[in-house]
Amino acid sequence: MEFFPAPLEKLTEQFAKLPGVGRKSAQRLAFFVLSLPMEEAQTFADAIVDAKKSVTLCPVCQNLTAGGLCSVCASAKRDESTICVVADPRDVLAIERGREYNGRYHVLHGVLSPMNHVGPDDLQIKSLVERVAAGGIREVIMATNPDTEGEATAMYLSRLLKTFGVKVTRLAYGIPVGGHLEFADDATLMRALEGRREL
Amino acid sequence: MEFFPAPLEKLTEQFAKLPGVGRKSAQRLAFFVLSLPMEEAQTFADAIVDAKKSVTLCPVCQNLTAGGLCSVCASAKRDESTICVVADPRDVLAIERGREYNGRYHVLHGVLSPMNHVGPDDLQIKSLVERVAAGGIREVIMATNPDTEGEATAMYLSRLLKTFGVKVTRLAYGIPVGGHLEFADDATLMRALEGRREL
């Protein structure tokens, strides 16, 4: 015997599919939707379909965009000769927040991960190589995460792109601003020492 | 300058409206929806509108149902002379999980809360009084939460319903099964002593 009406159960199941949402939270979210006025529920539903329908990849940098070029690639003010390679569209946002970088991006949509069967063909690597091969690029900055897979991906791309005579750089490692030496892990501290700069 | 396409931002905003979902989680959920195949996103959107459209209140007990009587009120096997009064449809589910209770329910959809401007007219109290006034009810069990507002609601309803000569009972207080005396709060322990039963 079921005690919640089927449409409510179905909605709960849908919420439970979301990452980090358990059965109990999914139920709470479904009840919340029931408590919304009809028009707000409709707006929510429309936002899902609309995002799915109209969000595309920028044909140049593969970042998310709503049709056509993304705002960075469309801007004439950005330095075309520098490409910052990131794994995820959210990494673009993180770098943009710093308001320091003025080049272009390239979004890989993942990192190489043999364990998860992600090879070069599953990422936006071909499109990156084509951009570099087309010329006009001075520097490619590898801004993948400093973990095993991010490192491996940066190394792989670096070897691939150097054949085009382009300069390939990597984000600096070191102690985070505001961090404490005491709490820094050994690997980070060693990298911070290695990368020391003259004052 | 915005860095995510507007439809993605809109979807993120919608997710951020959900209870317990912050801006960062909302973004993660929006990205997850983008990663779904179109048909799955459509199913999700449909589930929202569908739940909102087709979930109604049972005309007898006010529990959630998909049109018509709820499964408990529609069942001939349930004892019609006992009504268990709960604040929320989820409480019905909690009691049904115990597979012990065989009566009917009445869902108040909230508790009296002067602080939040919730008075008797904002709850399903009139419909409860009408059920009791119609006769055939032997016992009404108050199963609101054992907190201040749940207590006050139970006391209020108890006084109201006793005028109809019906027996009104309250869930027992005491130490939870599997609990430790050591960790029980004073109020619970006193109630457990008061309510002691002969072995």
Side-chain angles (χ1 to χ4, degrees):
Chain A
M1 199 170 191
E2 50 174 69
F3 299 101
F4 281 138
L8 183 57
E9 279 297 335
K10 267 187 199 156
L11 182 56
T12 303
E13 274 165 36
Q14 289 295 323
F15 275 121
K17 281 184 189 169
L18 298 175
V21 177
R23 174 85 201 159
K24 209 77 183 175
S25 308
Q27 204 176 70
R28 206 184 53 212
L29 297 179
F31 270 90
F32 175 78
V33 167
L34 280 190
S35 77
L36 291 175
M38 185 61 211
E39 57 202 299
E40 282 186 38
Q42 186 68 58
T43 306
F44 188 10
D46 290 347
I48 290 172
V49 176
D50 202 41
K52 189 63 204 165
K53 268 194 190 144
S54 58
V55 174
T56 55
L57 298 185
C58 169
V60 177
C61 74
Q62 314 298 328
N63 194 4
L64 298 173
T65 180
L69 286 178
C70 75
S71 55
V72 173
C73 287
S75 163
K77 291 180 189 161
R78 311 282 303 222
D79 174 13
E80 278 188 79
S81 67
T82 312
I83 297 178
C84 179
V85 178
V86 295
D88 193 281
R90 277 163 284 192
D91 298 332
V92 171
L93 200 68
I95 295 173
E96 287 296 311
R97 267 201 303 270
R99 296 164 182 274
E100 189 71 37
Y101 180 67
N102 195 40
R104 301 283 172 95
Y105 291 95
H106 193 87
V107 182
L108 298 175
H109 291 279
V111 282
L112 294 175
S113 174
M115 293 270 285
N116 300 314
H117 308 287
V118 180
D121 293 341
D122 303 312
L123 304 178
Q124 291 290 346
I125 288 180
K126 194 163 161 270
S127 51
L128 172 62
V129 172
E130 281 167 6
R131 279 177 84 181
V132 174
I137 309 294
R138 274 190 304 112
E139 181 179 357
V140 180
I141 306 169
M142 291 296 154
T144 50
N145 284 325
D147 54 17
T148 320
E149 293 176 344
E151 280 301 287
T153 307
M155 289 306 292
Y156 174 86
L157 288 178
S158 154
R159 276 181 211 162
L160 203 62
L161 299 176
K162 274 180 181 166
T163 59
F164 296 96
V166 75
K167 182 175 160 193
V168 182
T169 56
R170 181 82 174 105
L171 288 186
Y173 294 106
I175 45 171
V177 176
H180 287 75
L181 283 194
E182 191 183 352
F183 301 121
D185 61 292
D186 293 357
T188 301
L189 213 51
M190 285 309 103
R191 297 290 197 120
L193 260 175
E194 263 174 47
R196 67 191 179 277
R197 296 169 68 171
E198 206 172 308
L199 288 175
Chain B
M1 199 172 192
E2 49 175 69
F3 298 101
F4 280 137
L8 183 57
E9 279 298 335
K10 267 187 198 156
L11 182 56
T12 303
E13 274 166 35
Q14 288 295 325
F15 275 122
K17 281 184 189 170
L18 298 175
V21 177
R23 173 85 202 159
K24 208 80 182 173
S25 306
Q27 205 177 70
R28 206 185 53 211
L29 297 180
F31 270 90
F32 175 78
V33 167
L34 280 190
S35 77
L36 291 176
M38 186 60 211
E39 56 202 300
E40 281 186 39
Q42 187 67 58
T43 306
F44 188 9
D46 291 346
I48 290 173
V49 176
D50 202 39
K52 189 62 205 164
K53 268 193 189 145
S54 58
V55 174
T56 56
L57 298 186
C58 169
V60 176
C61 74
Q62 314 297 328
N63 194 5
L64 298 174
T65 179
L69 287 177
C70 74
S71 56
V72 173
C73 287
S75 164
K77 291 181 189 158
R78 312 283 302 223
D79 173 15
E80 277 189 80
S81 67
T82 312
I83 297 177
C84 179
V85 178
V86 295
D88 193 280
R90 277 162 284 192
D91 299 332
V92 172
L93 200 67
I95 295 174
E96 286 296 312
R97 267 201 302 271
R99 296 167 182 274
E100 189 72 36
Y101 180 67
N102 196 40
R104 301 283 171 93
Y105 291 95
H106 194 87
V107 183
L108 298 174
H109 291 279
V111 282
L112 294 175
S113 174
M115 293 271 284
N116 300 314
H117 308 288
V118 180
D121 293 342
D122 301 313
L123 304 179
Q124 289 292 346
I125 287 179
K126 192 161 160 273
S127 51
L128 173 62
V129 172
E130 281 167 5
R131 279 178 83 181
V132 173
I137 308 295
R138 275 190 304 113
E139 182 178 356
V140 180
I141 306 168
M142 292 296 155
T144 50
N145 284 325
D147 52 18
T148 320
E149 293 176 344
E151 280 301 287
T153 307
M155 289 305 293
Y156 174 86
L157 288 177
S158 155
R159 275 181 212 161
L160 203 64
L161 298 177
K162 274 180 181 164
T163 58
F164 296 97
V166 76
K167 182 174 159 194
V168 183
T169 56
R170 181 85 174 103
L171 289 186
Y173 294 106
I175 45 170
V177 177
H180 287 76
L181 284 195
E182 192 182 353
F183 302 123
D185 61 292
D186 293 355
T188 301
L189 213 49
M190 285 309 104
R191 296 291 197 120
L193 261 175
E194 263 172 47
R196 66 191 180 276
R197 294 168 68 172
E198 207 173 307
L199 289 175

